[in-house]
């Protein structure tokens, strides 16, 4: 590996020599300028991120750091991985600064950064909770020490890319050097029960060029599945440690752990040119998608162990579908997209962002779902904190999901498009501007409410250039400039361009009923309503006087779409028979109540 100069500044930026077909566009070089995502990005900036810092005070995550540096007294509070929430918030603040250049937010993140830096031990170790509760690295399957380190490193890389500052990066480098000195072949041969360090170390390699970080990431990936966790007395499946990553053909165990590991393995494959590893990850992804993913993109069906179930084990009322798992799924799909250039991964990113993840956030941006059920029965009893029957909540004792949404929304522009030497690829549709270096494009659309996507050339590249626009798999009948294009790929036009040239993609947004795989017992004989990339839900608030649990649908019946600018921030509702449906991600914004995605066929 010669150089690790990054090609752009976004989450997951393969190095120059990396085996990636596509290259990301820096977060600051693309901007969402309107529409659904802008609403959410604004709420993230105006409410979620500032409120998030207040919640970190209230939940004592920041107090833990003050205790560690001697500014306060007491025992650290919260889960053993409490530090990670601070780091995810720092990452969110960094990407948000890249977007808004908000100096107040920069001051805020530097203040928290300074506190974090002071809490670092002289040898680079950094954790505010573990040292007060147990021996350093004494119980890695549960201690989350590498997990917290991974989130710190991700935040540091984001801060460097977004602000150019080294404050947190210096901390991350000292911590990573400590990990390199401590773990690996011939040193301590141990792994954390919760992956994320793999992705983080690869990103730090990309940022610094230090080969040892990539080597350790690869070692952490390859060390799994060889009995390390079992030797410590734990059943390995939960920890993604039953099989080597290179042998596993599906995902299993704790869903967030599994997808974070796969995303890190994809990063390793991209940087080392490991095609065999990449192919294995593609096999795992295909299995997850075909057998273990909800129609909403949600991942992980079991409350028990927050885990993937067996193939087709996808209950609706007891769905877990943790918000973080959808986010981890996006991170994995993004890396697969960069590596392969295959549109299926961009389809997946869209599905998970617009449904599985976005349902986790209230419209004002201050309340969250941890668990994303697909069915809330009449009179459902919220049996515990995470139950969706409560409606969204301001924070959680285990608050992994809220800051995970924050960092995803503040870096969302980074997922819109990519470049190759001779072209640009548009993967996600939003009113936006995309500065691809040699070309600048503008996207005008009301998607996902309307299927028209206009791509305008604002600055033309020299010579021939390819503009590729994703045509989602569901978009049979799509046209580009009036000519039919195949669904499930990219419509491409290669030619010389002039300022003002444009392409117009028309995606058919007819509502459609979809059925699950017949082996999904809990959805057999039922239909879900989808329109474009949006999955719809029937909610009590729109269906007064009706017991949703007693309802059924006729899939042959007409479905009418109605634009409702007055409702839920502006939405298209669907009506079938006597029932009204709204996009799933918007349910529970008018209080909790009965809701269902699947309805039995008449
Ligand atoms: O273990 C850290 C986080 O807490 C996981 O990613 C979530 O699933 C929750 O268990
Ligand atoms: Zn979570």
């Amino acid at each position: 590996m010669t150089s690790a100069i990054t090609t752009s500044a976004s989450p997951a930026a393969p190095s120059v020599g990396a085996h990636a077909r596509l290259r990301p566009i820096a977060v600051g070089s693309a901007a969402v300028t309107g529409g659904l995502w802008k609403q959410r990005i604004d709420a993230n900036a105006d409410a979620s991120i500032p409120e998030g810092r207040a919640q970190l005070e209230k939940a004592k995550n920041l107090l833990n750091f003050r205790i560690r540096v001697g500014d306060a007294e007491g025992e650290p509070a919260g889960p053993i991985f409490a530090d990670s929430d601070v780091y995810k918030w720092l990452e969110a603040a960094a990407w948000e600064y890249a977007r808004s250049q908000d100096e107040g937010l920069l001051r805020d993140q530097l203040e928290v950064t300074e506190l974090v830096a002071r809490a670092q031990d002289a040898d680079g170790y950094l954790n505010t909770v573990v040292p007060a509760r147990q021996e350093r690295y004494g119980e890695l399957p549960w201690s989350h020490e590498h997990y917290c380190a991974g989130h710190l490193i991700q935040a540091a890389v984001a801060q460097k890319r977004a602000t150019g500052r080294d404050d947190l990066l210096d901390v991350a480098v000292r911590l990573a050097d400590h990990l390199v000195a401590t773990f690996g072949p011939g040193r301590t041969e141990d792994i954390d029960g919760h992956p994320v360090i793999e992705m983080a170390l690869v990103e730090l390699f990309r940022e610094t060029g230090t080969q040892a970080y990539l080597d350790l990431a690869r070692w952490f990936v390859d060390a799994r599945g060889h009995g390390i966790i079992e030797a410590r007395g734990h059943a390995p499946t939960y920890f993604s440690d039953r099989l080597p990553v290179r042998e596993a053909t599906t995902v299993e165990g704790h869903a967030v752990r599994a997808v974070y590991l796969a995303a890190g393995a994809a990063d390793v494959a991209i940087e080392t040119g490991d095609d065999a590893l990449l192919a294995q990850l593609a096999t795992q992804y295909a299995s997850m998608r075909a057998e273990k993913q909800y129609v909403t993109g949600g991942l992980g069906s079991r409350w028990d162990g927050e885990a993937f179930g067996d193939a087709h084990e996808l209950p609706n009322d007891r769905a877990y579908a943790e918000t973080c798992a959808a986010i981890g799924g996006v991170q994995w799909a993004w890396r697969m997209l960069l590596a392969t250039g295959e549109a299926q991964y961009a389809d997946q990113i869209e599905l998970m962002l617009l449904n599985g993840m976005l349902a986790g956030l209230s419209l004002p941006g201050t309340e969250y779902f941890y668990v994303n059920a697909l069915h809330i029965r009449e009179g459902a009893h919220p049996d515990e904190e995470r139950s969706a029957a409560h409606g969204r909540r301001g924070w959680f004792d285990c608050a992994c999901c809220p800051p995970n949404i924050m960092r995803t929304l503040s870096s969302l522009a980074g997922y819109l498009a990519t470049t190759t030497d001779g072209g640009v690829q548009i993967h996600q549709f939003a009113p936006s501007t995309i500065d691809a270096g040699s070309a600048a494009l503008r996207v005008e659309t009301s998607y996902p409410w309307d299927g028209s996507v206009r791509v305008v050339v604002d600055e033309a590249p020299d010579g021939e250039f390819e503009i590729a626009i994703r045509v989602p798999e569901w978009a049979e009948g799509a046209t580009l400039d009036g000519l039919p294009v195949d669904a499930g790929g990219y419509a491409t036009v290669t030619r010389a361009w002039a300022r003002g040239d444009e392409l117009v993609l028309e995606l058919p947004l007819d509502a459609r009923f979809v059925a699950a795989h017949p082996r999904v017992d809990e959805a057999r004989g039922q239909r879900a309503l989808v329109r474009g990339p949006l999955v719809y839900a029937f909610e009590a608030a729109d269906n007064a006087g009706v017991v949703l649990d007693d309802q059924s649908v006729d899939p042959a019946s007409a479905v009418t779409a109605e634009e409702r600018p007055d409702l839920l921030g502006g939405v298209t509702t669907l009506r079938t028979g006597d029932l009204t449906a709204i996009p799933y991600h918007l349910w529970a914004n008018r209080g909790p109540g009965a809701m269902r995605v699947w309805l039995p066929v008449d």
Side-chain angles (χ1 to χ4, degrees), residues 393-516:
R393 321 210 82 188
W395 210 245
F396 300 92
D397 291 344
C398 169
C400 47
C401 302
N404 223 354
I405 297 176
M406 292 174 207
R407 66 181 182 146
T408 308
L409 281 177
S410 60
S411 58
L412 197 93
Y415 296 105
L416 294 177
T418 54
T419 62
T420 50
D421 282 345
V424 61
Q425 304 75 40
I426 298 176
H427 305 290
Q428 307 301 335
F429 310 129
S432 50
T433 52
I434 295 162
D435 180 352
S438 49
L441 306 178
R442 180 164 29 98
V443 178
E444 296 172 353
T445 183
S446 300
Y447 189 87
W449 312 119
D450 182 274
S452 217
V453 179
R454 179 183 302 270
V455 178
V456 184
V457 176
D458 273 345
E459 271 174 48
D462 292 336
E464 286 215 331
F465 189 76
E466 180 187 84
I467 298 180
I469 311 178
R470 178 174 62 100
V471 185
E473 236 168 53
W474 47 261
E476 289 295 341
T479 59
L480 185 70
D481 288 346
L483 298 172
V485 285
D486 290 339
Y490 291 88
T492 60
V493 178
T494 308
R495 61 174 170 89
W497 301 87
R499 182 184 169 83
D501 282 353
E502 56 182 52
L503 294 170
V504 179
L505 178 71
E506 293 288 351
L507 299 169
L509 282 192
D510 301 326
R512 58 200 197 278
F513 286 104
V514 296

Side-chain angles (χ1 to χ4, degrees), residues 50 211 242 261 282 331 417 434 561:
Q211 177 72 30
R242 190 175 68 84
L261 174 63
Q331 294 174 353
I434 295 162

